[in-house]
Amino acid sequence: MNELLTRGVVEIIDQNNLEEKLKTGQPLRIKLGIDPTSPNLHLGRSIPLLKLQDFQKLGHKVIFIIGDFTGLIGDTSDKESERPMLSEATVQENLKTYIEQARKLIDIDQAEIHYNSTWLSKLNYLDINRQANVFSLNEFMSRENIRRRLDAGKRVSLRELFYPLMQGYDSVEVKAEVEIGGTDQRFNLLAGRDLQRLYNQVPQDIVIGPLIEGPDGQKMSSSAGNTINLLDTPNDMFGQVMSVPDEFIIKYFTWLTRVDLETVSKYESSLKAGTNPREVKM
């Protein structure tokens, strides 16, 4: 259980509760949602996907949500400007191979697969207002990136306020017991707990993972164009990994692989002892 809750994990809410659930041995419903804002899943996405794999190998039920509706609206949790809405055609084109890409890391045949347009497209104004009543404008505005944008006089659309409701409602629909996401998703992940309470469900626990840098040393993201994609050719992937800054080698081993940590520790020691970083990357 220790590595399950520590490797590639920054924060757990509520850790004590989750540990008690795991001790019972009962299978839990573990949710991960990904919006098809790009045709490619990249190594940054492999951090939560590998955590899904960890839970799945222990017998828990993986719930993989493809955000074909939330992808239209756009999440600006990690953005310094408003994300434009995407067309339905773009989203449908982007998601075509998502299941096969996810198959590289999780057992898709044993997972539940959902498209959140199934329920989000059916909500009406009364539903949305009931959900919105749970949150205050101050809570939304207190988010660091939103605060910076407001202070800089940048536009924040009302549409952006609804994204956390949609991601949170996904948890209600699939009755998630645990949700996995990155540090940039913390507000949205917590929204799931609040909405589950609204709908008389037990609030999900949350496993928050880190964000990884790309070969250029900046946060890996499709919009930045610095991704190493799961569908890249082996030669391309190899070349990109070899260009990753040396200080990220152990981080890549720890978060993006399941090489045993004892071996990773040996690699780290060899680097400190003066081994050429290129050899450890290879």
Side-chain angles (χ1 to χ4, degrees):
M1 185 191 302
N2 181 56
E3 193 170 317
L4 175 72
L5 302 183
T6 56
R7 187 171 190 172
V9 175
V10 173
E11 182 182 9
I12 297 176
I13 306 166
D14 165 359
Q15 181 158 349
N16 289 337
N17 188 58
L18 179 55
E19 288 177 353
E20 290 304 312
K21 286 180 184 176
L22 291 170
K23 286 176 184 177
T24 69
Q26 295 297 310
L28 301 174
R29 294 177 62 77
I30 316 295
K31 169 200 171 191
L32 172 67
I34 298 181
D35 286 352
T37 52
S38 161
N40 298 305
L41 296 178
H42 54 73
L43 287 188
R45 298 291 197 186
S46 73
I47 296 175
L49 283 166
L50 282 170
K51 190 53 58 181
L52 273 190
Q53 180 193 100
D54 293 340
F55 276 100
Q56 193 172 44
K57 286 182 175 179
L58 292 173
H60 300 288
K61 189 67 176 181
V62 162
I63 318 295
F64 183 54
I65 297 177
I66 298 175
D68 60 333
F69 193 92
T70 42
L72 296 172
I73 307 304
D75 180 19
T76 51
S77 292
D78 63 340
K79 305 300 179 198
E80 293 303 318
S81 60
E82 185 178 354
R83 184 195 286 271
M85 291 183 68
L86 297 179
S87 69
E88 289 188 45
T90 297
V91 169
Q92 290 302 315
E93 183 65 27
N94 286 348
L95 64 77
K96 280 184 177 179
T97 62
Y98 264 39
I99 291 176
E100 291 311 306
Q101 291 182 68
R103 190 186 296 276
K104 292 174 176 287
L105 294 174
I106 60 175
D107 186 347
I108 284 291
D109 297 327
Q110 297 300 315
E112 276 186 30
I113 309 296
H114 296 281
Y115 296 84
N116 62 14
S117 62
T118 305
W119 50 78
L120 291 177
S121 64
K122 296 175 182 176
L123 295 178
N124 59 41
Y125 265 117
L126 184 59
D127 297 322
I128 295 168
N129 276 277
R130 184 183 179 207
Q131 295 171 11
N133 192 53
V134 175
F135 306 94
S136 73
L137 185 59
N138 286 343
E139 288 172 308
F140 182 82
M141 290 169 57
S142 67
R143 299 165 68 181
E144 186 177 348
N145 72 315
I146 299 297
R147 184 76 267 162
R148 282 198 302 268
R149 286 167 58 191
L150 289 171
D151 289 345
K154 294 182 179 179
R155 182 177 189 267
V156 177
S157 71
L158 288 176
R159 165 174 58 94
E160 296 176 69
L161 276 66
F162 292 112
Y163 190 93
L165 304 184
M166 293 185 289
Q167 182 171 328
Y169 188 68
D170 287 350
S171 294
V172 173
E173 279 289 333
V174 302
K175 297 180 172 59
E177 294 175 275
V178 179
E179 183 170 10
I180 296 171
T183 53
D184 58 333
Q185 292 287 307
R186 193 177 191 276
F187 187 90
N188 299 341
L189 297 165
L190 288 169
R193 288 171 59 88
D194 291 331
L195 287 181
Q196 284 179 312
R197 293 187 185 99
L198 175 66
Y199 288 92
N200 299 314
Q201 292 183 13
V202 176
Q204 64 187 10
D205 295 315
I206 299 168
V207 178
I208 300 176
L211 307 180
I212 195 78
E213 294 86 357
D216 61 355
Q218 304 302 310
K219 194 198 83 165
M220 188 181 292
S221 74
S222 298
S223 57
N226 64 346
T227 57
I228 303 174
N229 299 318
L230 300 189
L231 292 183
D232 285 342
T233 66
N235 281 342
D236 284 347
M237 191 176 283
F238 178 79
Q240 291 177 88
V241 170
M242 291 302 291
S243 67
V244 167
D246 295 344
E247 62 263 32
F248 299 144
I249 294 173
I250 299 304
K251 186 186 291 188
Y252 265 53
F253 263 121
T254 305
W255 294 349
L256 305 182
T257 81
R258 284 303 180 261
V259 172
D260 68 88
L261 292 178
E262 184 177 346
T263 300
V264 175
S265 179
K266 290 178 181 177
Y267 287 142
E268 187 171 19
S269 297
S270 71
L271 285 169
K272 291 177 180 177
T275 299
N276 189 330
R278 178 179 173 82
E279 293 180 25
V280 182
K281 282 188 200 175
M282 292 180 69

